[in-house]
Amino acid sequence: MSESRWPQKPRILARQSVVRSRLFHVESLELRFSNGEERTFERLTGSDQGAVMIVAMPDPEHVLLIREYAAGFEEYVLTLPKGLVDPGEDIVTAANRELMEECGFGARSIEPLVELSLAPNYMRHRMQVLLATDLYPRRLPGDEPEPLIVETHAIEELPALLAREDFHEARAIAALFIARERLRAEPARTPLW
């Protein structure tokens, strides 16, 4: 669809902070759409610094996953390492730092894969997904309340991972499929599947 066929964006009539906590800021927006309709939308604003999620591969067939406590579900989940970009960092530096903090590895090669959003009707949050390869042992202290459990899984085990009750984070699932397809498309790579 050409941009000229997109509807005109709604006009923001008013913006109000509803509630703010250490992690979240809920904002109310009074909007007027191009057809004259007015609505109130609430959204979680995101960090302007951004966030990263890392598909870290210790070898061409395996990926590192972490097991961490997810307070939203009140259970431990299996996911990819991730975190916020600190002030002054670019996404590659942030990804390498998070990888060192959460998995105990650094990466000599880190390349951006894709930007993902989650519930864009309600959140302004964007996650940069990066592929990290040529790993080496390196641990940095992190901000996690307990040590994370690091697991190694074959990237071709995605169907088996999806069948697990503890692996359900949509961003991690999308990131793994995107990374797997990128790796399959590399001409120098000899497929093992």
Side-chain angles (χ1 to χ4, degrees), residues 58-125:
D59 62 59
E61 288 79 35
H62 294 89
V63 64
L64 300 179
L65 297 175
I66 59 169
R67 182 173 303 285
E68 67 179 344
Y69 184 72
F73 282 86
E74 299 179 17
E75 63 184 33
Y76 284 89
V77 297
L78 195 60
T79 188
L80 290 169
K82 60 190 168 300
L84 295 176
V85 176
D86 286 345
E89 285 184 323
D90 60 34
I91 61 171
V92 171
T93 303
N96 211 21
R97 176 186 49 75
E98 287 293 340
L99 185 58
M100 291 177 195
E101 291 175 1
E102 296 190 1
C103 295
F105 287 96
R108 291 183 187 90
S109 176
I110 299 178
E111 67 174 289
L113 287 178
V114 70
E115 178 180 88
L116 299 175
S117 65
L118 182 66
N121 288 5
Y122 302 102
M123 292 186 229
R124 200 177 75 187
H125 183 77

Side-chain angles (χ1 to χ4, degrees), residues 68-184:
E68 67 179 344
Y69 184 72
F73 282 86
E74 299 179 17
E75 63 184 33
Y76 284 89
V77 297
L78 195 60
T79 188
L80 290 169
K82 60 190 168 300
L84 295 176
V85 176
D86 286 345
E89 285 184 323
D90 60 34
I91 61 171
V92 171
T93 303
N96 211 21
R97 176 186 49 75
E98 287 293 340
L99 185 58
M100 291 177 195
E101 291 175 1
E102 296 190 1
C103 295
F105 287 96
R108 291 183 187 90
S109 176
I110 299 178
E111 67 174 289
L113 287 178
V114 70
E115 178 180 88
L116 299 175
S117 65
L118 182 66
N121 288 5
Y122 302 102
M123 292 186 229
R124 200 177 75 187
H125 183 77
R126 296 172 187 265
M127 176 76 71
Q128 304 297 323
V129 178
L130 298 100
L131 178 65
T133 55
D134 196 9
L135 304 186
Y136 58 91
R138 176 83 193 277
R139 168 84 50 198
L140 287 179
D143 57 2
E144 288 76 20
E146 63 183 355
L148 300 177
I149 297 169
V150 180
E151 298 183 10
T152 303
H153 292 268
I155 198 155
E156 288 304 315
E157 287 180 6
L158 287 179
L161 281 170
L162 290 173
R164 294 174 57 141
E165 290 182 12
D166 62 348
F167 183 71
H168 48 73
E169 183 180 2
R171 297 173 303 177
I173 293 167
L176 286 175
F177 273 103
I178 292 165
R180 186 184 73 177
E181 292 309 305
R182 168 74 65 87
L183 293 168
R184 284 180 172 178

